[in-house]
């Protein structure tokens, strides 16, 4: 329902002048980076405390006003963007950016939801600890967004998804009640694990305002290599070799296709191919250890030697300096951005069992190439998690709008194969608006009904991020 001027005035009074974004300054809150979704809002509010969020939700509940919670606005599926109606109120958590407490002995960090991921990492580092969640947007994405979308990234293989890194949560419910679950316990078997309901629910069940995060020892030694592999199936086998030889020290294992490396070296100044000969595929392998044991390079060399012996690796370069390590990572981390410079890109964020990764990428590539001759497949990412960003760059010289008009057709083709292989059509980016209808059409009726039951009981008036997820 469209909020009346009185309702908006009451909400604005809660946050005060500092917390009201003027209409002229609202644009950055209403569109996401790719401009797939550009919405309108009745108001954009920036509360400074959990109590203010609670007071706004009480008014929203009473008046039936829809609330769209927003963190750093880096989401890729439109979950954080209001609809085009202009009836919704955007609630940006960005002013809630306080580190609440760091308990080095308990290995926990308590903070507000609006703290950026980079600031959380820095707070952990200052105490000699590690908060391992790591993703390309870490400078601007916020913990509340990371948790409510269950963010993934490049360290999932070793440390798990965002939901695995949380011990406690503070959530404002649809009626304005505050659930204080800010516990720093590693063992707590007192009934339902309520925090898991809110992690990954994309703001549809409650608004995350604070969290207690798990910290880890800071790696004292790191070894990184960029290895050429003949095919994806060999890359998966190499992962198991790396696991076994290193005794579980693999921190990252990322797939880079030849075409991706070419995009990066073409568009990013100073980026260079680390190896003399071209290979169809590469993996970025990183091992890390908490102790300052010398010899991690030797362990990685042993992994690569075993890979060469088994013909899983054709060539490799080991980072010999921090600069070289950063250079290798830049090849991986700029991969998403450079696709924009190659014309239109149709995206898929999918997962299959790791053992089927090779099969999936080969089959899906053949299928899209048959459907669209000349399409350039850029399949990259978290192969160690069975998660690949299976993106399609437009054929050379193609018309961008005509290419993008085939988005749904390509999605249907790729997602069909994903389902056949027991995979997920949204591995780490979430559902938002982009995949909502598809999720409803593909999950079992029992599963969808369970999700709707939870939504109805926690948000009976449907005011929390309506039209997203379910
Ligand atoms: Zn990713």
């Amino acid at each position: 329902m469209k909020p009346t001027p009185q309702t908006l005035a009451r909400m604005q009074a809660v946050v005060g002048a500092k917390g009201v974004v003027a209409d002229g300054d609202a644009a950055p809150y209403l569109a996401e980076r790719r401009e797939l979704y550009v919405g309108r809002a009745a108001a954009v509010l920036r509360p400074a405390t959990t109590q203010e969020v609670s007071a706004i939700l009480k008014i929203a509940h009473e008046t039936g006003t829809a609330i769209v919670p927003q963190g750093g606005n880096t989401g890729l599926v439109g979950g954080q963007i209001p609809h085009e109606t202009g009836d919704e109120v955007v609630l940006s958590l960005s002013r809630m950016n306080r580190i609440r407490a760091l308990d080095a002995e308990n290995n926990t960090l308590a903070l507000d939801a609006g703290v950026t991921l980079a600031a959380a990492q820095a707070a952990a580092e200052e105490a000699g600890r590690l908060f391992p969640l790591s993703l390309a947007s870490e400078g601007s994405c916020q913990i509340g967004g990371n948790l409510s979308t269950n963010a993934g990234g490049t360290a999932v293989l070793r440390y798990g998804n965002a939901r695995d890194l949380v011990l406690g949560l503070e959530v404002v419910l649809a009626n304005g009640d505050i659930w204080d679950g800010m516990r720093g316990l590693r063992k707590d078997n007192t009934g339902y694990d309520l925090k898991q309901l809110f992690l990954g629910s994309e703001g549809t069940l409650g608004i995350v305002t604070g969290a207690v995060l798990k910290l880890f020892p800071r790696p004292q030694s790191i070894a990184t290599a960029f290895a050429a592999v003949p095919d994806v199936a060999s890359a998966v086998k190499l992962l198991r070799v790396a696991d076994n030889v290193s005794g579980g020290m693999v921190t990252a294992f990322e797939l880079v296709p030849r075409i991706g490396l070419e995009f990066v070296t073409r568009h990013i100044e100073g980026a260079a191919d680390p190896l003399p000969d071209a290979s169809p595929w590469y993996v970025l392998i990183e091992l890390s250890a908490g102790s300052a044991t010398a010899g991690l390079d030797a362990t990685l060399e042993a992994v690569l030697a075993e890979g060469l012996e088994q013909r899983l690796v054709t060539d490799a370069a080991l980072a010999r300096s921090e600069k070289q390590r950063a250079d290798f990572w830049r090849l991986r981390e700029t991969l998403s951005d450079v696709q924009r410079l190659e014309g239109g890109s149709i995206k898929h964020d999918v997962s299959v069992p790791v053992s089927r990764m090779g099969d999936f990428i080969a089959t899906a590539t053949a299928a899209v190439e048959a459907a669209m001759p000349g399409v350039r497949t850029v399949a990259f990412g978290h192969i160690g998690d069975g998660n690949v960003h299976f993106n399609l760059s437009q054929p050379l010289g193609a018309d961008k709008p005509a290419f993008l008009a085939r988005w749904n057709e390509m999605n249907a083709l790729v997602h069909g194969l994903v389902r056949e292989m027991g995979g997920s059509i949204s591995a780490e980016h979430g559902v938002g608006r982009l995949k909502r209808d598809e999720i409803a059409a593909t999950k079992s009726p029992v599963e969808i009904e369970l999700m709707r039951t939870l939504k109805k009981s926690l948000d009976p008036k449907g005011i929390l991020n309506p039209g997203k997820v379910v």
Side-chain angles (χ1 to χ4, degrees):
M1 198 162 56
K2 196 171 191 66
T4 63
Q6 289 84 346
T7 299
L8 292 178
R10 286 172 65 197
M11 289 184 175
Q12 285 162 351
V14 169
V15 295
K18 265 190 185 168
V20 179
V21 176
D23 287 353
D25 301 326
Y29 300 88
L30 305 179
E32 39 78 64
R33 219 163 56 108
R34 296 174 184 166
E35 303 213 328
L36 275 180
Y37 298 102
V38 182
R40 291 167 59 229
V44 178
L45 303 177
R46 299 176 66 217
T49 64
T50 303
Q51 283 67 31
E52 288 183 8
V53 176
S54 163
I56 292 168
L57 265 290
K58 279 195 168 80
I59 299 166
H61 194 249
E62 175 197 319
T63 57
T65 306
I67 299 288
V68 180
Q70 191 179 94
N73 192 9
T74 60
L76 298 171
V77 291
Q80 76 280 22
I81 301 298
H83 289 86
E84 294 75 5
T85 58
D87 293 349
E88 298 168 332
V89 171
V90 173
L91 213 61
S92 164
L93 282 288
S94 53
R95 276 175 82 209
M96 294 184 58
N97 56 6
R98 216 165 33 102
I99 300 286
R100 298 190 192 179
L102 191 145
D103 184 341
E105 279 182 27
N106 195 42
N107 240 351
T108 49
L109 172 63
L111 35 56
D112 285 353
V115 174
T116 63
L117 175 52
Q121 292 166 343
E125 183 172 1
E126 238 170 75
R129 317 304 295 170
L130 172 76
F131 181 61
L133 190 67
S134 177
L135 31 140
S137 60
E138 60 199 23
S140 45
C141 65
Q142 295 167 13
I143 291 297
N146 294 149
L147 302 190
S148 55
T149 59
N150 184 29
T154 52
V156 174
L157 186 61
R158 179 79 164 264
Y159 299 99
N161 291 287
R163 72 163 74 251
D164 302 306
L165 304 173
V166 182
L167 293 178
L169 217 53
E170 179 186 82
V171 181
V172 175
L173 305 178
N175 64 3
D177 282 354
I178 299 168
W179 173 50
D180 179 358
M182 292 287 281
R183 293 184 279 263
L185 301 176
R186 283 179 173 73
K187 298 187 91 166
D188 177 13
N189 259 349
T190 54
Y192 305 145
D193 189 354
L194 294 175
K195 66 178 179 293
Q196 290 298 342
L197 266 181
F198 301 101
L199 298 168
S201 69
E202 302 183 34
T204 61
L205 301 180
I207 298 180
V208 173
T209 50
V212 181
L213 305 175
K214 279 187 209 172
L215 300 180
F216 294 82
R218 257 197 115 59
Q220 300 296 311
S221 59
I222 295 175
T224 310
F226 194 79
V229 296
D231 48 48
V232 178
S234 298
V236 171
K237 291 199 179 86
L238 181 64
L239 169 62
R240 292 312 159 215
V241 169
D243 255 349
N244 292 338
V245 172
S246 73
M249 284 192 276
V250 183
T251 308
F253 198 88
E254 295 281 315
L255 182 72
V256 176
R258 177 69 200 173
I259 189 173
L261 185 65
E262 283 170 3
F263 283 7
V264 170
T265 51
R266 190 178 305 156
H267 297 291
I268 303 289
E269 210 181 304
D273 185 343
L275 299 171
D277 298 317
S279 164
W281 296 98
Y282 303 89
V283 283
L284 178 64
I285 312 173
E286 190 156 279
L287 308 184
S288 68
S291 61
T293 41
L296 205 54
D297 276 356
T299 306
L300 188 47
E301 275 167 4
V303 169
L304 296 169
E306 181 65 30
L308 281 164
E309 170 82 27
Q310 294 188 28
R311 297 176 192 276
L312 306 174
V313 173
T314 53
D315 195 8
L318 199 71
R320 295 294 179 188
S321 65
E322 191 52 37
K323 159 143 194 342
Q324 222 177 357
R325 177 175 169 254
D327 284 347
F328 289 177
W329 270 107
R330 189 168 52 154
L331 297 174
R332 164 64 187 88
E333 280 170 346
T334 52
L335 252 179
S336 308
D337 272 351
V338 291
Q339 291 168 61
R340 253 186 302 180
L341 305 170
E342 290 284 334
S345 173
I346 296 177
K347 317 278 186 192
H348 305 88
D349 162 39
V350 299
S351 65
V352 295
V354 179
S355 49
R356 304 207 66 178
M357 200 85 257
D359 189 13
F360 168 73
I361 291 179
T363 312
T365 301
V368 297
E369 283 176 356
M372 192 192 289
V375 70
R376 296 173 295 163
T377 303
V378 187
F380 69 100
H382 325 294
I383 182 176
D385 310 320
N387 173 199
V388 63
H389 299 303
F390 189 83
N391 292 352
L392 311 177
S393 278
Q394 67 179 56
L396 286 170
D399 174 57
K400 184 174 169 181
F403 168 74
L404 291 177
R406 298 182 69 183
W407 187 296
N408 289 342
E409 178 200 340
M410 290 295 130
N411 277 186
L413 191 60
V414 172
H415 291 168
L417 291 168
V418 167
R419 280 192 291 274
E420 273 172 35
M421 294 192 188
S424 166
I425 63 164
S426 184
E428 64 172 2
H429 294 165
V431 178
R433 275 177 78 179
L434 188 65
K435 294 180 181 169
R436 179 183 176 230
D437 294 342
E438 208 178 341
I439 293 287
T442 56
K443 282 192 183 276
S444 75
V446 172
E447 205 165 353
I448 287 292
E449 198 44 43
L450 261 175
M451 285 171 66
R452 292 200 174 128
T453 302
L454 285 169
K455 171 73 177 169
K456 271 182 230 149
S457 64
L458 285 167
D459 179 21
K461 294 192 171 180
I463 59 167
L464 289 175
N465 217 5
K468 316 285 172 60
V469 187
V470 285

